[in-house]
Amino acid sequence: MKSTNAPLWPLLLGISLLFTAAGMLHAAPSEPQWQALNHSLVSEHILPRYQSLQRSSAELATSTAALCRQPDQTHLERAQADFQQTMDAWQSVQNIQFGPITTHMRNFSMQFWPDKKNLIGKQLNQLLQQQNPDTLSVDYLYQASIGVKGLPALERLLFTGSLSDLENTSYRCQLTQTIAAYIAVNSQATLDEWTDGYADSVSNAGSEASYYDSHQEAAVDMMKALIEPLEAIRDQKILSPLGDGQVRPRRTESWRSQRSLRNIQLNVATLHHLYSGTKKSVDSLLRQQGRAAQADNISTLFNAIEQQLQAVQAPLITSLHQPETVKQLLEISAALQQLDRELSAEMITLNIQLGFNSRDGD
């Protein structure tokens, strides 16, 4: 009887080739792919946002100076409008927590929040009571506490009290002008450092002159800027104000200028753009890795969250007391958590280890 046993090596070779092909399909992106992605994210996402922050903060410095020269309702409204534009610009780049914005803790100087112990209120009131003219300089603010030199302190000065407070207390108006000038100086310095060196460091990752050892390492910072803010938005900007059965509207971000909801909308829109809004994007990279279905799902989640946010009534300082608003925000919170999970799972496909969360401990 003839044996029917056939050699196993052709079958094993075929299986080996099949797994090799599958591995190639889902292989981690190459260094050139990471380089192309990083270049797009810097040139099309990060730099334009820092340019917007520089322009708007310069206009804010100009309008607050004009307010102090002529403290009337027209100039106050102009300064308030420029504050809103500057906060728009900041919220659109708030997710970038690496690079020049971290030099001398500029990120915290720009916006110290959440302020759980009312540090800003205590220290700002102390300055207003003492009215020391030596504190009315940008140089002084470089040495001052982070509580009195950023956008939250400026918000208190521009959106609380009355016009007569600025008319009758020249120190208050001059402090407003000084803080605005400090914000403008730091915005300019951050942009300058990106354009004068840090962007090149990202582009030339792996060289001796670069901060990064590889393009993939540089991409880790980009991916953290995409994923880490989702938890911060959910926990700090939504769930904390909702409280544990009792809403606390004054825990919302920027409630004095009635822009808490707008901040969240801008944050999500920014992350959506970081994910898929550039020529070379995370979305396109996932598709190249054979993850089109997952990329579609992430895009769908972004679109759904943005639509949900548009349906929420503003301002949150008042609408948070409505059960419908609470329900909507809880649904948005759940969607953000799902988006976080989906994006984090895809980091495995891209062979990205996010590691320590820079926002832990906030």
Side-chain angles (χ1 to χ4, degrees):
M1 182 176 178
K2 184 181 291 187
S3 172
T4 58
N5 292 336
L8 290 176
W9 69 266
L11 177 61
L12 294 175
L13 178 60
I15 293 174
S16 176
L17 290 173
L18 180 63
F19 278 107
T20 299
M24 290 176 63
L25 180 62
H26 299 292
S30 65
E31 277 289 281
Q33 284 178 300
W34 284 126
Q35 184 180 27
L37 174 64
N38 294 339
H39 176 75
S40 277
L41 295 182
V42 169
S43 61
E44 300 170 43
H45 180 88
I46 295 176
L47 288 181
R49 280 164 167 72
Y50 278 128
Q51 289 164 352
S52 177
L53 180 62
Q54 181 274 323
R55 288 193 300 269
S56 59
S57 62
E59 291 172 1
L60 176 59
T62 299
S63 62
T64 52
L67 173 63
C68 288
R69 289 193 300 269
Q70 187 175 346
D72 55 27
Q73 189 63 34
T74 298
H75 284 91
L76 175 59
E77 291 176 359
R78 179 69 265 169
Q80 289 174 333
D82 286 343
F83 172 89
Q84 298 283 8
Q85 290 293 322
T86 302
M87 185 60 94
D88 278 359
W90 169 245
Q91 292 293 326
S92 298
V93 78
Q94 189 185 48
N95 61 312
I96 305 299
Q97 293 292 316
F98 66 91
I101 194 63
T102 63
T103 302
H104 305 305
M105 297 179 66
R106 284 187 190 129
N107 46 347
F108 295 107
S109 295
M110 187 69 69
Q111 186 189 16
F112 177 61
W113 187 85
D115 181 11
K116 298 177 182 178
K117 298 181 180 180
N118 193 27
L119 181 67
I120 297 171
K122 294 174 183 176
Q123 296 183 345
L124 192 60
N125 286 337
Q126 186 177 22
L127 286 181
L128 292 171
Q129 289 171 5
Q130 294 175 347
Q131 297 194 27
N132 183 350
D134 293 339
T135 61
L136 297 174
S137 71
V138 170
D139 287 341
Y140 168 80
L141 289 184
Y142 274 113
Q143 309 300 322
S145 166
I146 55 176
V148 298
K149 57 187 180 184
L151 289 162
L154 192 59
E155 179 191 28
R156 289 177 185 242
L157 292 168
L158 286 173
F159 290 89
T160 61
S162 62
L163 181 60
S164 61
D165 293 328
L166 297 172
E167 292 174 331
N168 300 330
T169 309
S170 61
Y171 178 87
R172 182 186 179 99
C173 199
Q174 290 174 45
L175 181 60
T176 302
Q177 175 184 341
T178 303
I179 295 173
Y182 176 83
I183 291 169
V185 167
N186 277 277
S187 299
Q188 183 69 64
T190 302
L191 175 61
D192 289 345
E193 288 174 27
W194 264 99
T195 56
D196 292 344
Y198 203 86
D200 287 339
S201 182
V202 174
S203 297
N204 299 316
S207 68
E208 291 185 1
S210 176
Y211 176 80
Y212 299 101
D213 291 333
S214 67
H215 295 294
Q216 183 182 18
E217 182 185 347
V220 171
D221 276 345
M222 307 291 178
M223 298 304 99
K224 283 187 175 185
L226 173 62
I227 296 175
E228 287 185 357
L230 291 168
E231 182 179 350
I233 296 168
R234 179 176 179 266
D235 291 350
Q236 297 175 1
K237 302 192 180 190
I238 296 178
L239 292 182
S240 178
L242 290 180
D244 186 14
Q246 180 179 359
V247 296
R248 294 176 171 85
R250 292 194 177 192
R251 286 187 180 180
T252 57
E253 184 185 33
S254 307
W255 63 267
R256 291 174 179 83
S257 52
Q258 300 191 356
R259 53 169 299 122
S260 307
L261 179 61
R262 179 164 178 77
N263 287 358
I264 299 171
Q265 292 170 335
L266 288 169
N267 295 157
V268 174
T270 293
L271 298 181
H272 195 177
H273 185 270
L274 183 61
Y275 171 70
S276 61
T278 54
K279 185 176 181 181
K280 299 290 185 180
S281 67
V282 181
D283 178 85
S284 62
L285 195 59
L286 285 174
R287 296 178 190 280
Q288 291 172 15
Q289 305 309 115
R291 307 289 286 180
Q294 290 78 4
D296 286 340
N297 191 41
I298 291 169
S299 291
T300 298
L301 279 169
F302 267 120
N303 290 329
I305 292 168
E306 288 180 296
Q307 290 176 4
Q308 287 175 300
L309 285 168
Q310 289 298 324
V312 178
Q313 183 179 341
L316 290 183
I317 188 67
T318 55
S319 72
L320 208 59
H321 293 287
Q322 301 172 9
E324 178 62 23
T325 298
V326 172
K327 178 184 176 182
Q328 290 172 315
L329 290 176
L330 287 173
E331 291 173 351
I332 292 167
S333 171
L336 285 169
Q337 186 175 43
Q338 182 61 31
L339 179 57
D340 190 343
R341 289 171 179 164
E342 296 280 349
L343 282 167
S344 296
E346 292 314 304
M347 293 301 104
I348 298 174
T349 301
L350 300 177
N351 195 28
I352 290 290
Q353 302 293 326
L354 295 180
F356 173 74
N357 188 332
S358 63
R359 296 176 184 269
D360 282 346
D362 285 353

